[in-house]
Amino acid sequence: MSQKSAGAGLLPRPAAMDERKLCILVADDSKSQLTTLSFFLRTLGHDVHCASDGHEALSIADTVDVNLVISDWMMPRMSGLDLCEAIRAREDRPYVYFILLTSKADTAAISAGFASGVDDYLSKPVVHDELKARIGSGVRILELYGQLREQRHEVELAYGELKTMHDAVNRDLQAAAKLQQSFIPSEESTCLGASIATHYRPANHIGGDLVGHFQGDDRILVAYSIDVSGHGISSALLCVQLAQMFDPNNPDRNVCFEDDSNGAWRLRRVHEIAQELNDRHQTGVDCDLYFTMGLAFIDVVTGHVEMTQCGHPAALVQRRNGQVEFMGDGGSPIGLVPFASYEILSFSLAPGDRLFLYSDGLSECENVDGEQFDDTGLERFFRSRDDERPLFSLKHLMAELDRFRQNCPFSDDVSSMLIELAPEDRCNLPLKCKQAA
């Protein structure tokens, strides 16, 4: 890892300390004391700088990398305590060990010195052997600070590298989220005269849910709701793959179509599509992912619906008179069991009836008490709202879900699609699909 990658503002890497030679600053207004101390320290092999008062000492400390300061307490212009506080205030510099020379012996004075950041005391007159021992203690403390500073430096470098990688991953996830969102229909659209509203809310940047619809032929509206197991990138990648398998603009790749041997494409039966997806998943890349699916073919002329439910939540039907019914009772998820069989669920929709497909992230949403919204909450909501546009119904449903969960985070992706067949007074709408403006 390079220092450049860690970003600006890092502390410089500390140099290794040589125990035999320190840079020592001596501050004392007594010339004789200053001469005696500096001479003794130089005989020990240290680099010594001298100052006659605190101001001069601070000026030297600002220009020289001092390791240790030996300062008299009482000096003109700036005392030893003031000098210590000024040195401690420089947060961008390596730690300096501070020894205070004093003839004071009262506890209050010594406590004040420690509070100002003093590391050690030495009584005057100075005994050279004792000073040498105190300097040795200071060296050990400075070495510990140096080690901590080195570790901090390495942690900051590692953090810089991790932040760079995290930012790159975050940008990639945001781009992936936009790509995934491009496969989700707009909030409001029409297809073959039916009004359709969709909602998609991933628990994280990217999710494992997919909803969509397209025109299968002149009278069949194809609608699907898919929920891939797990979360994150692997689930999202499978969603993208499945979206391509339901792309109406590429019938040769769309799993819903087959060649009728006359050079044209025709729709397959819904249970055959589920079987094909299950077979493909078994022979594909080895992974632990599977998915649930609700797939419906809606004849907008007769109102006949053929649906297969592959481990997905039961579809909700809201009749025009407000009655609510749940359709389907299970089935095997796709990719979980080899050679699973799938059945056709048939029912009818009258003009003005609605079909609601949704993932279990909606019905299994929990509140602070651990209670789930479940089918009861869905039925209660739809019984109370039967006279508004599908888009408004979905928006109000999500608002109701937000009130129910009471700021508890969504633990799963939430997706849904509400389809309303054109009422009898609108059945003469042209048979085509379009996105709402």
Side-chain angles (χ1 to χ4, degrees), residues 57-245:
L58 186 59
S59 177
I60 294 173
D62 286 337
T63 57
V64 178
D65 290 332
V66 175
N67 304 122
L68 187 146
V69 173
I70 302 172
S71 174
D72 190 15
W73 188 322
M74 303 302 296
M75 293 184 296
R77 297 203 299 168
M78 177 180 283
S79 69
L81 285 185
D82 292 337
L83 174 62
C84 182
E85 290 178 348
I87 289 176
R88 292 285 180 257
R90 305 177 310 170
E91 298 179 354
D92 60 334
R93 302 291 291 275
Y95 190 79
V96 176
Y97 196 80
F98 202 99
I99 299 174
L100 193 64
L101 306 179
T102 180
S103 57
K104 298 183 179 181
D106 61 287
T107 303
I110 292 176
S111 296
F114 281 124
S116 298
V118 172
D119 294 296
D120 204 352
Y121 282 90
L122 198 58
S123 299
K124 297 170 64 175
V126 176
V127 178
H128 288 175
D129 287 343
E130 185 178 1
L131 174 59
K132 182 178 179 181
R134 298 297 176 92
I135 291 174
S137 297
V139 167
R140 290 190 292 272
I141 297 298
L142 289 172
E143 285 179 341
L144 290 175
Y145 272 103
Q147 293 172 11
L148 290 174
R149 190 176 177 84
E150 175 71 18
Q151 291 172 2
R152 178 184 174 185
H153 179 83
E154 292 176 356
V155 168
E156 288 176 329
L157 288 176
Y159 173 77
E161 294 283 353
L162 289 174
K163 187 176 186 303
T164 299
M165 290 187 292
H166 177 271
D167 291 343
V169 170
N170 193 54
R171 288 193 299 270
D172 289 343
L173 288 175
Q174 290 175 350
K178 291 181 180 179
L179 174 62
Q180 189 178 26
Q181 186 68 47
S182 68
F183 293 109
I184 305 297
S186 60
E187 287 186 329
E188 188 174 31
S189 58
T190 60
C191 188
L192 295 173
S195 298
I196 306 171
T198 57
H199 178 85
Y200 170 69
R201 181 188 295 184
N204 298 306
H205 277 298
I206 52 179
D209 280 11
L210 178 68
V211 289
H213 61 81
F214 59 89
Q215 180 177 333
D217 61 23
D218 288 343
R219 54 195 288 176
I220 300 298
L221 168 60
V222 179
Y224 55 89
S225 174
I226 294 174
D227 184 1
V228 178
S229 63
H231 301 281
I233 296 175
S234 57
S235 299
L237 287 175
L238 181 53
C239 269
V240 171
Q241 181 183 5
L242 291 169
Q244 294 172 337
M245 291 183 182

Side-chain angles (χ1 to χ4, degrees), residues 310-355:
C310 313
H312 212 61
L316 182 147
V317 172
Q318 182 187 29
R319 304 298 179 183
R320 192 170 187 180
N321 63 6
Q323 179 184 351
V324 174
E325 305 172 37
F326 287 94
M327 303 295 184
D329 57 2
S332 175
I334 294 176
L336 189 62
V337 179
F339 310 112
S341 60
Y342 299 92
E343 299 179 351
I344 295 178
L345 171 67
S346 297
F347 54 93
S348 294
L349 297 175
D353 287 351
R354 293 176 169 184
L355 176 65

Side-chain angles (χ1 to χ4, degrees), residues 193-196 352-355 386 388-390 418-423 426:
S195 298
I196 306 171
D353 287 351
R354 293 176 169 184
L355 176 65
D386 59 0
E388 57 187 0
R389 285 165 52 188
L418 184 59
I419 303 167
E420 178 183 289
L421 288 192
R426 291 197 287 119

Side-chain angles (χ1 to χ4, degrees), residues 272-338:
E272 294 174 349
I273 296 168
Q275 184 68 62
E276 173 70 15
L277 287 171
N278 192 63
D279 292 344
R280 289 192 190 185
H281 198 76
Q282 301 301 328
T283 58
V285 178
D286 184 23
C287 66
D288 296 328
L289 294 177
Y290 62 90
F291 60 94
T292 66
M293 179 178 71
L295 174 64
F297 284 5
I298 307 168
D299 188 323
V300 298
V301 176
T302 65
H304 180 70
V305 179
E306 286 193 355
M307 180 175 176
T308 186
Q309 184 191 7
C310 313
H312 212 61
L316 182 147
V317 172
Q318 182 187 29
R319 304 298 179 183
R320 192 170 187 180
N321 63 6
Q323 179 184 351
V324 174
E325 305 172 37
F326 287 94
M327 303 295 184
D329 57 2
S332 175
I334 294 176
L336 189 62
V337 179

